[in-house]
């Protein structure tokens, strides 16, 4: 970093370093190249739209690094949301680790740290330098539409302990951890992608629940903190979301909590900001409030408008150049700490270090440790090898395997076929999915988020009503699904619909694995935090 004397940069170059922009495509687009060359933007972010597999990500990172170097710009921070579990942008060619709620079910800070370290080592090999993880939101609202299994659970202590271990794991692998979403997005029933949530609790409650994990992360030295687009009247009665709130970002986070690292916003194109303030105006307000890096993920025109709005705000006196320099110093220090200054290693050197037997064993270990058996009345489990078995799947788009559900490509039925003699698998939305139930001795109803999807509720209810004496429910995302079908005799939660979790589920269902996971949140008074049963 010594070659860059940023004190001599133009205002536009300084401001450019405070922005993280996304783009559309598997290769650098004209738009992202223009943003690098003209403004020297501080970072970029990879989404699923930028990712085919590990090799392609490595090539993309190498290309962006070359473009930045030829333009004479500082290396960009390359960010990603690789939280694990259901939120992972790279799944092909890397070791996909269990997500937060699965890790919460293990109750193990060691597991959170080890999985983060291995994930970080692989990201670093692919040219990623910043992970927007882990989530420290305390998921104590069962109606939360956006956090859910991205949280470690509904206890602040667990979120703080496991989140601290995860951020230290990432940073040990030279990945800048970014804990989120400050000051807490767990107790909301509104998705800030689409509206502006309000958390009405008083300061004492916020200190006890929402803020506690972030205090732990700050004490542990997290490299970055991401803001939440949520309103907390107890912290800022003006009605501004935290991302744009000076009392929250400067008064609370900087001055009271003593945080000295980088504050990055969540995407300003989310409706909570764009709809009510506009992306460009939001960028100015965020920096005024105390943010250091502004994330604009999608639209080139809005990205340019946001950057130019900040430049104009300095020129007309709304912002001072001193304020820009404060954030710039933090950003450049973050780059010095985490950037990859030399060219990426050749793919031939990188590939053997990805998804190794050792790293896969780490993923297996903690996935298996997370499987939580909540109920097993009538000793329906383990399943009998010779029993004719039906697996019913939801046809819900977020389910990663839904489009190939009957192809035998990593479904729960596919996992069970390796262990049971007769297994048939059907989509709930298929033609007459409940036909011939009497022909099956063992029925598995898989639900993804039955609390929100009517089809899942309807089918699960019908099956349990018709064949409850031989039906087992398996939740592959939201563990509170048991509230939809409380009369089910046996219930297993694995927290995510990924091949590893489905394999772990199959092992428990067939008695190959003794379940040791425990509920990381209270499902009901019958099934409190920490509850489990075993085979």
């Amino acid at each position: 970093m010594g070659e860059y004397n940023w004190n001599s940069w133009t205002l536009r170059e300084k401001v450019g370093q405070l922005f993280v922009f996304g783009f559309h495509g598997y290769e650098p687009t004209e738009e992202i190249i223009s943003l690098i060359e003209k403004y020297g933007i501080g970072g970029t972010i990879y989404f699923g739209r930028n990712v085919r597999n590990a090799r392609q990500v490595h090539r993309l990172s190498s290309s962006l690094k070359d473009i930045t170097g030829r333009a004479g710009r500082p290396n960009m921070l390359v960010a990603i949301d690789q939280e694990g579990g259901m939120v992972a942008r790279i799944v092909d060619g890397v070791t996909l680790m269990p997500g937060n709620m699965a890790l919460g079910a293990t109750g193990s800070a060691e597991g959170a740290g080890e999985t983060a370290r291995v994930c970080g080592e692989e990201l670093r090999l692919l040219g990623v330098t910043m992970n927007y993880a882990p989530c420290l939101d305390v998921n104590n609202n069962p109606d939360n539409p956006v956090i859910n299994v991205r949280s470690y659970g509904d206890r602040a202590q667990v979120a703080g302990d496991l989140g601290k271990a995860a951020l230290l794991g990432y940073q040990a692998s030279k990945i800048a951890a970014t804990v989120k979403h400050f000051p807490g997005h767990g107790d909301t029933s509104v998705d800030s992608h689409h509206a502006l949530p309000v958390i009405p609790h008083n300061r004492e409650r916020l200190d006890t629940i929402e803020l506690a994990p972030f205090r732990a992360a700050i004490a542990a030295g997290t490299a970055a903190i991401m803001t939440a687009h949520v309103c907390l009247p107890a912290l800022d009665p003006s009605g501004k979301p935290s991302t744009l709130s000076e009392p929250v970002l400067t008064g609370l986070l900087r001055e009271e909590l003593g945080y000295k690292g980088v504050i990055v916003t969540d995407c300003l194109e989310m409706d909570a900001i764009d709809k009510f303030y506009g992306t460009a105006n939001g960028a100015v307000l965020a920096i005024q409030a105390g943010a250091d890096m502004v994330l604009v993920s999608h639209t080139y025109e809005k990205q340019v408008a946001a950057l130019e709005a900040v430049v104009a705000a300095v020129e007309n006196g709304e912002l001072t150049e001193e304020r820009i320099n404060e954030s710039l110093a933090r950003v450049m220090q973050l780059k010095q700490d985490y950037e990859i200054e030399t060219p990426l290693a050749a793919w031939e050197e990188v590939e053997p270090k990805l998804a190794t037997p050792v790293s896969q064993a780490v993923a297996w270990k903690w996935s298996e440790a997370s499987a939580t058996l909540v109920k097993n009345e009538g000793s329906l489990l383990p399943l009998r090898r010779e029993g004719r078995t039906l697996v019913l799947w939801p046809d819900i788009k977020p389910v990663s395997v839904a489009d190939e559900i009957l192809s035998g490509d990593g479904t729960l039925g596919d996992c069970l076929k390796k262990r049971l003699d007769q297994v048939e698998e059907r989509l709930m939305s298929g033609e007459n999915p409940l036909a011939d139930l009497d022909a099956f001795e063992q029925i598995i109803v898989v639900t993804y988020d039955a609390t929100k999807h009517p089809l899942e509720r309807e089918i699960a209810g019908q099956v349990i009503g018709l064949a409850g004496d031989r039906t087992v429910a398996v939740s592959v995302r939201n563990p509170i699904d048991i509230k939809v079908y409380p009369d089910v005799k046996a219930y297993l939660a694995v927290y995510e619909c990924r091949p590893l979790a489905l394999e772990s589920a199959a092992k428990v269902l067939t008695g190959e694995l003794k379940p040791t996971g425990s509920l990381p949140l209270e499902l009901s008074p019958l099934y409190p935090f920490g509850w489990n049963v075993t085979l």
Side-chain angles (χ1 to χ4, degrees), residues 380-381 383 443-446 470-474 488 490-492 509:
L380 293 185
L381 299 178
L383 299 173
I443 300 169
I444 312 295
V445 174
V446 183
R470 58 190 187 279
T471 297
V472 177
V474 178
V488 72
Y491 181 69
L492 174 67
L509 292 172

Side-chain angles (χ1 to χ4, degrees), residues 46-48 51 80-83 86-91 498:
Y46 293 162
F47 288 96
V51 175
I80 198 167
D81 293 292
Q82 192 78 0
E83 298 174 18
M86 298 310 298
V87 180
R89 310 308 184 196
I90 313 172
V91 298
R498 295 291 193 184

Side-chain angles (χ1 to χ4, degrees), residues 167-168 171 216-224 259 338:
L167 78 88
L168 291 174
Q171 292 180 184
I218 291 167
T222 185
Y259 179 60
Y338 291 97

